[in-house]
Amino acid sequence: MTRVFSGIKPTGHLTLGNYLGAVRQWAEVAQHRTDALFCVVDMHALTVDHDPARVRRLSRQAATLLLASGLDPELCTVFVQSQVDEHARLSYVLECVATDGEARRMIQYKEKAARERERGGSVRLSLLTYPVLMAADILAYGTDEVPVGDDQTQHVELARDLAVRFNQRYGQAFVVPRATHPKVGARVMNLQEPTSKMGKTDDAGPGIVYLLDEPDVVRKKIMRAVTDSGREVVYDRVARPGLANLLDILAACEGGNPEDLSGVYESYGALKKDTAEAVVELLRPVQQRHKELCADPAYVEEVLRLGAAKAREMARPRVDAAYRAIGLLAG
Ligand code: AQP
């Protein structure tokens, strides 16, 4: 059976981008058709300036939202990365296979390091090395497929390269994974800056729809989305990025095609109104279930405890084998 792994980092509140680009596929497709593991990758949240209490809080919230989004612990394994030591163990070994040039080429590293330097801050070494930790997250489980948004493609490519290189040098230890993306919604853009990704670490603002936003807040954000000058509703990601983003979001919500949808609308206002209502309806059951789960934190804790135990068992033999293959006296 195909093995699937993917994760989400608790660097902020989950967004519509996270949902449409990743989590919805995990819940609606992956867990039903594959042997899937989904992880709150909390160690990745330590790569930039962080508040420990906030990371803990956001990790619990992310896990709760994954369950609220429909992940079913009977069908898949849900856990927190730092509770399974194999990730960090394997990461070091992969650092001995990766090159520093490779790590420095990662777009997210370049962008975040530049931002940090602009602010006069220092760049954590872990910001450079975390794509290798992500490779370990993936490779530890013999993962075939990694369902992610577009922005993670380069990191999954690195995991592939490291798997191939390790296997060639030290013997077959890893499955070579591949990234998969949803047909629509793989890159949801910021509603106020439609040429930038809707990211959860960005400053909270009207351009980001959070999964837990109240319906009226969602409506307001979408009705105020930046659109382009012009009156005709056409789908053109380059010339009309704001409009294209709304069409993508509506198509992702309704399961349609953004180009076909563009022909249906005669005004930006009507498109915004329908998009807002579609998002409100999409989020309604998630928010309802989230409320129920918040009333039962012991249940979420137990799911994570069992998930970590299962993940540990799955990862351990492969990581031990990689240790032995690379020359360590692993038990
Ligand atoms: N805007 C998006 N559109 C589509 N997919 C997205 N994803 C994230 N944003 C979008 C996908 O969601 C999964 C989890 O993302 P993440 O937690 O790894 O990263 P993030 O939400 O992008 O968080 P940050 O902190 O704002 O990240 P940076 O600044 O690192 O990009 C992934 O599958 C991701 O592709």
Side-chain angles (χ1 to χ4, degrees):
M1 198 181 206
T2 304
R3 170 69 54 85
V4 159
F5 174 93
S6 202
I8 191 142
K9 54 176 178 276
T11 40
H13 300 287
L14 268 60
T15 70
L16 182 64
N18 295 131
Y19 189 73
L20 293 179
V23 178
R24 187 168 68 159
Q25 277 58 239
W26 305 352
E28 289 182 1
V29 185
Q31 69 171 350
H32 297 287
R33 298 201 192 143
T34 65
D35 178 8
L37 298 106
F38 300 108
C39 186
V40 177
V41 283
D42 53 348
M43 291 156 82
H44 292 278
L46 311 186
T47 56
V48 288
D49 199 20
H50 78 285
D51 166 16
R54 182 167 188 264
V55 171
R56 274 192 293 272
R57 205 169 53 242
L58 289 173
S59 293
R60 285 198 191 94
Q61 190 196 65
T64 308
L65 269 169
L66 291 185
L67 298 175
S69 299
L71 291 190
D72 178 350
E74 299 287 323
L75 299 175
C76 65
T77 306
V78 183
F79 67 105
V80 175
Q81 178 191 36
S82 62
Q83 296 180 352
V84 180
D85 293 344
E86 272 55 42
H87 295 240
R89 284 181 72 217
L90 182 56
S91 183
Y92 180 73
V93 161
L94 295 178
E95 279 182 25
C96 301
V97 176
T99 66
D100 92 305
E102 221 161 23
R104 285 180 201 285
R105 275 198 293 278
M106 295 294 120
I107 294 164
Q108 293 204 12
Y109 167 72
K110 287 197 220 169
E111 289 179 353
K112 286 187 185 171
R115 233 180 287 153
E116 199 56 55
R117 289 191 186 104
E118 258 168 40
R119 279 195 220 119
S122 52
V123 178
R124 294 184 183 185
L125 182 58
S126 57
L127 186 66
L128 180 65
T129 56
Y130 92 89
V132 179
L133 174 59
M134 178 170 158
D137 301 337
I138 296 167
L139 299 184
Y141 297 98
T143 302
D144 300 290
E145 290 180 4
V146 191
V148 283
D150 260 2
D151 60 317
Q152 292 297 335
T153 306
Q154 194 188 27
H155 290 160
V156 180
E157 285 296 318
L158 177 68
R160 286 175 66 87
D161 291 347
L162 297 184
V164 169
R165 198 175 306 150
F166 188 103
N167 290 347
Q168 280 170 353
R169 278 190 200 160
Y170 305 111
Q172 195 67 30
F174 299 118
V175 172
V176 180
R178 69 183 185 93
T180 61
H181 308 289
K183 280 201 191 80
V184 189
R187 185 176 286 262
V188 177
M189 309 307 272
N190 186 299
L191 297 172
Q192 291 298 316
E193 277 175 59
T195 49
S196 308
K197 190 192 81 166
M198 185 185 283
K200 65 172 126 55
T201 33
D202 301 337
D203 293 335
I208 306 166
V209 174
Y210 295 103
L211 295 193
L212 294 178
D213 276 345
E214 295 285 339
D216 277 346
V217 174
V218 174
R219 289 189 184 100
K220 204 181 280 175
K221 287 177 176 176
I222 293 179
M223 292 310 289
R224 290 184 183 166
V226 166
T227 39
D228 326 277
S229 54
R231 292 174 48 188
E232 230 181 307
V233 179
V234 287
Y235 184 74
D236 184 335
R237 273 190 153 237
V238 179
R240 307 274 193 92
L243 203 54
N245 192 34
L246 290 172
L247 287 163
D248 277 339
I249 293 172
L250 180 58
C253 290
E254 295 189 339
N257 173 326
E259 269 144 4
D260 295 347
L261 275 177
S262 64
V264 172
Y265 289 94
E266 287 184 358
S267 77
Y268 289 8
L271 170 65
K272 283 180 171 177
K273 200 157 173 287
D274 281 5
T275 307
E277 290 315 314
V279 173
V280 166
E281 288 314 313
L282 185 79
L283 299 187
R284 197 186 296 285
V286 177
Q287 296 183 350
Q288 177 58 36
R289 180 86 181 113
H290 178 261
K291 209 182 278 172
E292 291 161 14
L293 287 166
C294 283
D296 191 2
Y299 168 75
V300 178
E301 288 294 319
E302 185 61 3
V303 167
L304 297 178
R305 195 183 63 75
L306 293 174
K310 204 166 147 203
R312 231 174 272 132
E313 248 173 59
M314 289 160 95
R316 180 115 207 171
R318 186 170 282 96
V319 176
D320 279 349
Y323 264 51
R324 283 192 292 272
I326 205 168
L328 300 172
L329 294 174

